[in-house]
DNA sequence: ACCATGGTTTAGGTTGGTCTAAAAATATAC
DNA sequence: GTATATTTTTAGACCAACCTAAACCATGGT
């Protein structure tokens, strides 16, 4: 029996996210930070994952996922994002409320559950934050995304998603009527602090550089 | 912060069920058996639960739930049964497939989730096995139930639920077209082995005593 | 009243995931 | 190219939940 623990799953997911879909090496400190734990604990877990062949590990050189590790990560992400869609579409949650709850739900182990949920939701392709949902086979459609911080002046964009999905950031967006699909036009970029004046759904608004770095757009 | 672990929740639930809604004392061996563990482990956990004031415990005398323990148990049961309804009504599960999955889902911690789910399902009062679903305040409607093994001859009943919700038993019922609400008429009771001949949804069928002891009926 | 028996608790040990503190390896600075 | 700083690993311990084995209580039979 190949038992995989909750904690192992969470480390695998963190390695996947930190290493850009699991391709780059992730260093121990970054992983420990992401897991809210200490480097020594991360080292222990990394060894265990390598032992079980979910991760590639060379001492002092960082960690990356093996194919089997990536498969696990993608499956968890699929579950996470499907649950998010469910919560928002069916249970009246808002996009800033779903992340933590989905972190719990993503660990429920049942293939049938997730496939039926997928069908029940009409096989959605993106979650409420604009992130793509992997299909049964782990494939997902990667869309060309531009950060608002790199958008061109006088161009029109639509809002595709966010990078940081903390509720603070999402609530900031809510307060300014920016959601998925919002129409955003870049009016002016202030050279001094790189803050950006935009027209969002018709309303004028100036956003800081750090906001701009967390908002994904698509040219329209 | 009052942290309650998954394992603690499962022990509390087991004490509740074994002690008939938490009123009777439960002995250590029975609890260990139900939890698939050893008596010594059960003792450890019982002490911890008593420590946290979820259980009343006198050495060598067994364990029962305190009011706060009962509240926790009822809440878990509410979650369990609502998830079962969801799985059957929305995700095409059959009544014999849902129990184990609901054992996982019942531990998800979110008040909003469960209240929204309740509303989404139209505030159901019974789960797919006929068991009552506690409301927000932990109240549930206890219906007068008769076991088939105690039913009277020549009377008509409708199927209210089951005692044993193992998938083996539920599949046996499926194979004989017996589900919730099925009309059951007691035709004959064999004195020798107490097997019972019934007409179930019009079809004649003879069931053993052990089946009869697990099927709840209501006079109609 | 005693003792055998079975149920229950204690003692001591294991495992998974965590920690702190110290040692080892690598990276950076001059 | 050596010294210093940073990152990573190791060593040793802790806690929750479990185990086995031994000691402990309670009860029922004689």
């Amino acid at each position: 029996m190949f038992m995989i623990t909750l904690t192992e799953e969470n480390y695998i997911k963190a390695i996947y996210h930190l290493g850009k879909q699991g391709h780059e090496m992730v260093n121990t400190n970054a992983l420990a930070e992401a897991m809210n734990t200490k480097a020594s604990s991360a080292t222990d877990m990394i060894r265990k994952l390598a032992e079980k062949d979910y991760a590639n590990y060379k001492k002092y050189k960082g960690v990356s996922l093996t194919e089997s590790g990536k498969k696990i990560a993608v499956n968890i992400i699929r579950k996470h994002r499907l649950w998010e869609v469910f919560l928002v579409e069916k249970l009246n949650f808002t996009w800033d409320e779903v992340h933590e709850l989905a972190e719990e739900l993503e660990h429920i182990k049942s293939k049938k559950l997730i496939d039926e949920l997928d069908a029940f939701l009409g096989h959605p392709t993106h979650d409420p934050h604009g992130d793509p949902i992997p299909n049964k086979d782990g494939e997902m459609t990667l869309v060309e995304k531009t950060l608002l911080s790199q958008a061109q002046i006088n161009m029109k964009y639509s809002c595709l998603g966010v990078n940081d999905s903390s509720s603070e950031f999402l609530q900031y967006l809510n307060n300014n009527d920016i959601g998925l699909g919002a129409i955003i036009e870049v009016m002016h970029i202030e050279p001094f602090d790189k803050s950006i004046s935009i027209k969002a759904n018709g309303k004028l608004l100036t956003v800081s550089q750090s906001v701009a770095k967390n908002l994904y757009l698509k040219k329209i």
Side-chain angles (χ1 to χ4, degrees), chain A:
Chain A
M1 195 58 183
F2 306 112
M3 212 42 182
I4 180 157
T5 69
L6 208 176
T7 316
E8 285 168 356
E9 286 194 350
N10 282 330
Y11 271 92
I12 288 174
K13 191 176 46 142
I15 296 169
Y16 183 88
H17 281 132
L18 290 172
K20 316 272 165 201
Q21 275 67 36
H23 293 301
E24 289 174 19
M25 282 287 180
V26 174
N27 39 270
T28 308
N29 269 355
L31 184 55
E33 164 101 0
M35 291 299 300
N36 264 306
T37 183
K38 295 296 149 71
S40 53
S41 308
T43 302
D44 285 351
M45 182 54 80
I46 290 168
R47 300 170 83 111
K48 184 147 67 119
L49 294 178
E51 192 77 24
K52 293 194 177 186
D53 214 58
Y54 299 137
N56 305 115
Y57 174 50
K58 279 277 167 61
K59 269 196 199 178
Y60 297 100
K61 297 292 177 189
V63 63
S64 66
L65 293 179
T66 61
E67 282 311 308
S68 100
K70 271 181 227 167
K71 256 182 70 180
I72 290 170
V74 169
N75 191 244
I76 298 171
I77 288 164
R78 168 170 159 80
K79 293 194 275 182
H80 183 104
R81 293 179 182 166
L82 283 172
W83 279 116
E84 287 192 339
V85 173
F86 172 70
L87 294 173
V88 168
E89 306 247 302
K90 306 293 183 185
L91 300 193
N92 304 311
F93 279 72
T94 53
W95 75 343
D96 56 298
E97 293 176 318
V98 296
H99 187 77
E100 284 162 43
L101 190 43
E103 299 258 286
E104 266 186 87
L105 288 161
E106 73 191 5
H107 299 290
I108 301 290
K109 286 171 187 17
S110 164
K111 191 167 161 22
K112 171 159 184 171
L113 170 61
I114 215 64
D115 290 342
E116 290 287 346
L117 186 63
D118 187 28
F120 181 62
L121 298 170
H123 304 287
T125 57
H126 291 80
D127 79 7
H129 312 111
D131 293 313
I133 299 175
N135 69 13
K136 275 185 177 198
D137 305 316
E139 294 147 6
M140 54 184 141
T141 57
L142 291 177
V143 182
E144 189 65 31
K145 296 186 290 187
T146 315
L147 281 174
L148 171 54
S149 58
Q150 282 156 2
Q152 293 165 278
I153 209 156
N154 285 328
M155 291 291 294
K156 268 197 177 172
Y157 296 88
S158 84
C159 174
L160 259 192
V162 296
N163 183 24
D164 168 6
S165 62
S166 70
S167 38
E168 291 76 22
F169 181 54
L170 293 171
Q171 273 165 24
Y172 167 86
L173 296 180
N174 279 349
N175 292 340
N176 290 289
D177 285 324
I178 300 174
L180 285 196
I183 304 300
I184 288 173
E185 199 178 339
V186 180
M187 309 301 285
H188 174 72
I189 301 175
E190 176 56 46
F192 170 60
D193 65 354
K194 302 275 193 285
S195 67
I196 302 178
S197 296
I198 60 177
K199 203 189 276 177
N201 285 333
K203 283 199 303 198
L204 283 166
L205 176 68
T206 301
V207 304
S208 70
Q209 168 80 344
S210 63
V211 165
K213 275 182 169 162
N214 278 310
L215 201 59
Y216 286 121
L217 307 177
K218 178 179 67 176
K219 253 184 215 170
I220 50 175

